[in-house]
């Protein structure tokens, strides 16, 4: 079991024990939250990100560094589905909403009653065949509340709106085709009268897009592709990218071999952010298809990057590509946390993005300029980011060659961190990053495109990174671009993080520990063993009784945990696109599950 390493090299035990001295770091100057997320804490948790800025921070503080050791189980609830539980429990008023992985059943629980009994359930009955084209387990990243409704996606590429009081279906809209490999796993974002969603399927050669639906009736308002001609990508006269490499006509066509953009990936399955002052929607784009980069010479616009779009029209305002001509499946779908802060003496509106490439990016969200890109993971395949050009600097020795195994590529295909979201504390001014410490061996092979079948072209075997552990939980100083402390974990971290005003940060591990740590030192203050590994997103709320609660779904799975949730053969190191090679021992420490745990103080 790992320990918490501070910048001073001190180590803290991960077992529950009396409080240790706090090895305090000077609290850095605190970036301010944008004005649109600093309203009074209402005690609810109505969207997975907590707010449009994606901070995942709560002002509740009844559970704090002094009281957290007394946490106990308030109630539990079974989702009835023993697959990977990546969702975030929502709380709206006195009702909790829980969404299962496929078959994507939505439950409403009554928090006013002992044990939080079920008020209703809604089953959208997605097509069973969707399970066969799900890349990396049949997960779902959560529902979203707005306008008196719960909105969510289904694995077979529908978007659903349900009456939050009654559970009655208001509308259901089909947006994708599972026969082409299109699925949906993301949490929608609702802004005013629009529902924003995107497609999954980058490993099946789909052409990625994001779409805005009318929140009232589910009809399409606009749709933008992430490959192809400018008209399809919604690039026009208002598109003003910061870097020259993103300027030019129809780059979504000309930076690909002929017609390859039509199976070019660039899917949208991660987190969305929104700045109402700028009216800009921010979304990442996934990996280009296929994984094998030798089949797609060029920068492969507009994959593996970040778009800023006008939320009303979808018109692109700027784009930044974190991984031009992506070599190693480094989707850019991770969270983008919006902060207002002083940077080199000037006030800047920034987004902070811990990327799969292994860097924490600080980007001016008004124009796409990269202000900083500092590594938070051991790196062998990349050496840095050129701030003048914005381009990722790669190590030629680690670039894929057809039919040759390239060894010790760090980070691995799911990156230094995958979809699982960080949290930003307004109180400490620090970012808390749940991530991986993994490397891989990679062999490129030549795939053929057949609609609805895998289109990858790489054989991968993953392994632990330096030190032998595979997971890390890091407190990050954004302004200084450095870690303050890190907790090492045996397995990759695949859960989200939650920060609170009580100076407590929560996360879960794949071997089933739900942990509360001191936000300033990394000391583990409390931990509880749940029935299965944790890959979900912790949330907190004020109950009808006025007390603070913390909620988490257990149920191992996802790409990293599919050896358990899909019962894969541990002898096949290439299974789960190479993850099984590193995760053989997971079957010995946890089992399938699907249980909601909610904790409170006595």
């Amino acid at each position: 079991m790992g320990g918490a390493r501070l910048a001073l090299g001190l180590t803290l035990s991960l077992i529950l024990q009396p409080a240790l001295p706090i090895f305090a770091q000077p609290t850095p100057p605190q970036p301010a939250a944008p004005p649109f997320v600093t309203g009074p804490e209402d005690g609810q948790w109505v969207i997975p990100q907590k707010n449009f800025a994606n901070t995942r921070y709560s002002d509740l503080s009844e559970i704090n560094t002094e009281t957290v050791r007394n946490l106990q189980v308030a109630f539990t609830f079974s989702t009835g589905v023993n697959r990977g539980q990546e969702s975030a429990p929502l709380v709206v008023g006195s009702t909790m909403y829980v969404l299962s992985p496929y078959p994507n059943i939505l439950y409403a629980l009554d928090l006013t009653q002992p044990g939080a009994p079920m008020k209703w359930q809604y089953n959208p009955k997605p097509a069973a065949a969707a399970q066969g084209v799900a890349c990396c387990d049949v997960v779902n990243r959560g529902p979203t509340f707005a306008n008196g409704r719960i909105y969510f996606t289904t694995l077979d590429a529908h978007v659903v709106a349900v009456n939050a009081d009654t559970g009655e279906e208001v509308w259901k809209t089909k947006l994708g085709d599972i026969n082409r490999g299109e699925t949906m796993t993301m949490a929608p974002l609702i802004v005013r009268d629009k529902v924003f969603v995107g497609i999954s399927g980058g490993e099946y050669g789909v052409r990625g897009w994001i779409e805005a639906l009318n929140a009232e009736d589910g009809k399409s308002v606009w749709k933008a592709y992430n490959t192809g001609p400018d008209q399809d990508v919604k690039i026009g006269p208002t598109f003003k990218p910061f870097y020259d490499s993103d300027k030019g006509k129809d780059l979504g066509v000309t930076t690909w071999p002929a017609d390859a953009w039509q199976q070019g990936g660039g899917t949208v399955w991660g987190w969305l952010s929104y700045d109402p002052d700028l009216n800009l929607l921010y979304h990442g784009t996934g990996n280009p298809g296929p994984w094998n980069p030798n089949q797609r010479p060029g920068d492969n616009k507009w994959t593996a990057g970040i778009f800023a779009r006008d939320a009303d029209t979808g018109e692109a305002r700027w784009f930044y590509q974190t991984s031009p001509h992506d070599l190693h499946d480094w989707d850019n779908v991770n969270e983008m946390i919006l902060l207002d802060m002083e940077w080199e003496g000037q006030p800047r509106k920034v987004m902070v993005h811990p990327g799969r490439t292994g860097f924490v990016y600080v980007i001016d969200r008004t124009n796409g300029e990269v202000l900083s890109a500092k590594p938070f993971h051991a790196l062998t395949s990349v050496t840095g980011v050129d701030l003048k050009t914005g381009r990722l600097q790669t190590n030629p020795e680690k670039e894929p060659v057809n039919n040759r195994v390239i060894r010790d590529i760090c980070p691995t295909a799911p990156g230094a961190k995958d979809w699982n979201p960080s949290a930003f504390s307004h109180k400490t001014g620090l970012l808390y990053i749940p991530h991986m410490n993994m490397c891989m061996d990679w062999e490129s092979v030549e795939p053929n495109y057949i609609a609805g079948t895998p289109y990858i072209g790489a054989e991968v075997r993953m392994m632990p990174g330096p030190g032998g552990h595979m997971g890390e939980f890091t407190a990050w100083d954004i302004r200084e671009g450095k870690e303050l402390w890190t907790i090492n974990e045996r397995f990759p971290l695949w859960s989200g993080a939650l920060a609170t005003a009580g100076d407590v940060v929560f996360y879960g591990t794949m071997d089933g520990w739900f942990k509360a740590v001191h936000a300033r030192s990394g000391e583990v203050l409390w931990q509880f063993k749940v029935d299965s590994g944790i890959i979900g997103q912790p949330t907190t709320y004020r109950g009808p009784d006025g007390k603070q609660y913390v909620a988490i779904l257990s149920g191992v799975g996802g790409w990293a945990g599919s050896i358990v949730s899909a019962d894969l053969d541990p002898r096949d190191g290439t299974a789960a696109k190479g993850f099984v090679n590193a995760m053989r021992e997971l079957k010995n420490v946890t089992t399938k599950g699907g249980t909601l745990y909610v904790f409170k103080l006595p």
Side-chain angles (χ1 to χ4, degrees):
M1 185 172 287
R5 72 172 186 269
L6 287 86
L8 300 177
L10 299 165
T11 300
L12 300 174
S13 170
L14 284 185
I15 62 173
L16 188 61
Q17 57 186 339
L20 298 174
I22 305 303
F23 301 99
Q25 299 285 341
T27 301
Q30 298 177 24
F36 50 90
V37 298
T38 54
E41 172 65 59
D42 63 6
Q44 302 183 105
W45 198 284
V46 301
I47 67 174
Q49 304 95 315
K50 177 62 174 173
N51 46 51
F52 288 151
N54 278 243
T55 61
R56 291 179 170 82
Y57 171 83
S58 170
D59 272 321
L60 299 181
S61 59
E62 180 190 6
I63 299 170
N64 55 49
T65 57
E66 299 299 322
T67 61
V68 69
R69 68 184 67 244
N70 298 318
L71 278 182
Q72 60 188 32
V73 176
F75 65 89
T76 63
F77 176 78
S78 172
T79 67
V81 181
N82 288 341
R83 295 299 294 261
Q85 311 278 336
E86 291 187 353
S87 184
L90 302 186
V91 172
V92 182
S94 59
T95 303
M96 176 177 284
Y97 299 93
V98 178
L99 183 63
S100 81
Y102 175 91
N104 305 128
I105 302 171
L106 178 67
Y107 299 98
L109 307 181
D110 187 350
L111 298 178
T112 67
Q113 300 298 316
M118 185 165 57
K119 296 171 69 171
W120 51 257
Q121 62 175 291
Y122 166 78
N123 188 342
K125 299 180 180 178
Q131 300 172 89
V133 291
C135 147
C136 314
D137 203 0
V138 293
V139 298
N140 188 290
R141 297 183 182 90
T144 298
F145 170 83
N147 311 316
R149 298 171 180 175
I150 299 291
Y151 300 87
F152 65 96
T153 62
T154 65
L155 192 65
D156 65 346
H158 288 70
V159 182
V160 185
V162 174
N163 184 298
D165 292 328
T166 66
E168 295 178 357
E169 181 181 299
V170 179
W171 52 259
K172 182 163 70 170
T173 300
K174 180 181 179 181
L175 294 182
D177 182 357
I178 59 175
N179 294 315
R180 293 201 302 262
E182 293 180 323
T183 55
M184 280 186 168
T185 57
M186 71 174 290
L189 184 70
I190 291 81
V191 175
R192 297 190 302 273
D193 60 349
K194 294 181 180 62
V195 181
F196 299 107
V197 290
I199 201 71
S200 301
E203 280 62 57
Y204 287 80
V206 308
R207 184 186 178 200
W209 48 259
I210 185 170
E211 189 160 0
L213 306 179
N214 186 305
E216 185 62 29
D217 57 19
K219 295 181 180 178
S220 182
V221 178
W222 57 257
K223 182 177 184 177
Y225 287 93
N226 298 321
T227 67
D230 287 351
Q231 181 177 359
D232 292 1
V233 185
K234 299 189 81 67
I235 287 176
T238 59
F239 182 60
K240 306 291 184 183
F242 189 84
Y243 296 102
D244 289 344
S245 59
D246 298 318
K247 299 173 182 176
K249 183 176 175 57
D250 291 329
L251 296 182
V253 174
T254 62
T255 59
W256 295 85
D259 297 328
W261 56 268
Q262 297 186 43
Q263 296 88 39
T267 52
V268 180
W269 56 270
W271 299 110
L272 309 179
S273 303
Y274 173 69
D275 185 333
D277 295 335
L278 301 174
N279 194 35
L280 289 181
L281 174 74
Y282 302 99
H283 72 86
T285 60
N287 61 281
W291 285 15
N292 182 352
N294 302 311
Q295 287 190 231
R296 44 176 176 79
D299 274 1
N300 310 134
K301 305 292 187 189
W302 305 91
T303 65
I306 297 171
F307 266 114
R309 295 185 182 276
D310 183 291
D312 294 329
T313 65
E315 291 294 323
R317 292 291 183 261
W318 58 259
F319 176 84
Y320 169 64
Q321 193 168 29
T322 53
S323 187
H325 184 59
D326 178 54
L327 300 178
H328 295 124
D329 182 43
W330 290 337
D331 302 58
N332 205 64
V333 298
N334 295 356
E335 66 281 5
M336 293 159 283
I337 298 169
L338 310 186
L339 303 173
D340 292 346
M341 63 188 296
E342 190 173 282
W343 190 268
E344 296 182 351
Q346 299 295 322
R348 303 293 285 261
K349 294 180 177 293
V350 305
M351 67 165 59
V352 182
H353 173 72
R356 285 172 75 153
T357 57
F359 298 91
V360 176
Y361 296 84
V362 181
I363 300 172
D364 186 318
R365 68 178 185 270
T366 69
N367 61 12
E369 178 189 4
V370 178
L371 306 177
S372 172
K374 300 292 187 180
F376 67 101
H377 186 286
L379 304 175
T380 64
S381 56
V382 293
T383 59
V385 175
D386 185 334
L387 297 185
K388 292 183 180 180
T389 64
R391 292 187 74 87
L392 184 68
Q393 305 298 294
T394 60
N395 176 1
E397 295 180 358
K398 301 301 181 182
E399 295 181 4
V401 177
N402 279 8
N403 304 311
R404 181 194 304 172
V405 177
I406 308 297
R407 302 196 183 279
D408 299 321
I409 297 170
C410 312
T412 187
K417 74 175 292 296
D418 207 307
W419 71 276
N420 48 313
S422 308
F424 171 79
S425 170
H426 301 174
K427 191 170 182 182
T428 66
L430 301 178
L431 184 67
Y432 299 93
I433 310 172
H435 63 103
M436 290 180 284
N437 173 49
M438 298 184 70
C439 303
M440 65 179 170
D441 295 341
W442 173 296
E443 181 180 6
S444 282
V445 296
E446 186 172 338
N448 293 310
Y449 175 73
I450 302 173
T453 64
Y455 185 53
I456 296 176
E459 189 171 279
V460 173
R461 286 176 172 82
M462 302 184 203
M463 61 206 68
H469 59 282
M470 291 184 280
E472 296 187 352
F473 189 78
T474 295
W476 187 264
D477 183 328
I478 297 169
R479 183 173 278 101
E480 297 298 323
K482 66 180 183 180
E483 77 171 52
L484 294 187
W485 52 258
T486 288
I487 299 171
N488 297 338
E489 296 288 355
R490 177 181 178 185
F491 294 104
L493 286 185
W494 212 256
S495 90
L498 162 67
T500 73
D503 262 352
V504 178
V505 183
F506 293 89
Y507 72 97
T509 70
M510 294 191 72
D511 50 357
W513 288 99
F514 188 44
K515 299 187 177 186
V517 305
H518 199 299
R520 299 180 188 273
S521 69
E523 177 191 354
V524 176
L525 302 173
W526 171 89
Q527 58 183 357
F528 185 89
K529 187 70 163 63
V530 298
D531 66 347
S532 179
I534 296 173
I535 61 168
Q537 304 165 57
T539 61
T540 188
Y541 65 95
R542 184 188 297 118
D545 58 0
K547 295 186 177 296
Q548 183 183 358
Y549 293 76
V550 178
I552 186 68
L553 280 161
S554 72
V556 79
W559 187 5
S562 55
I563 184 173
V564 175
S565 61
D567 197 24
L568 302 179
D569 188 342
R571 295 172 295 182
D572 181 4
T574 66
K577 302 172 185 63
F579 239 129
V580 166
N581 192 64
M583 301 297 288
R584 292 185 173 96
E585 292 300 313
L586 189 63
K587 277 193 169 184
N588 298 329
V589 298
T590 193
T591 56
K592 299 178 185 181
T595 303
L596 168 75
Y597 285 82
V598 178
F599 300 91
K600 68 173 183 177
L601 295 173

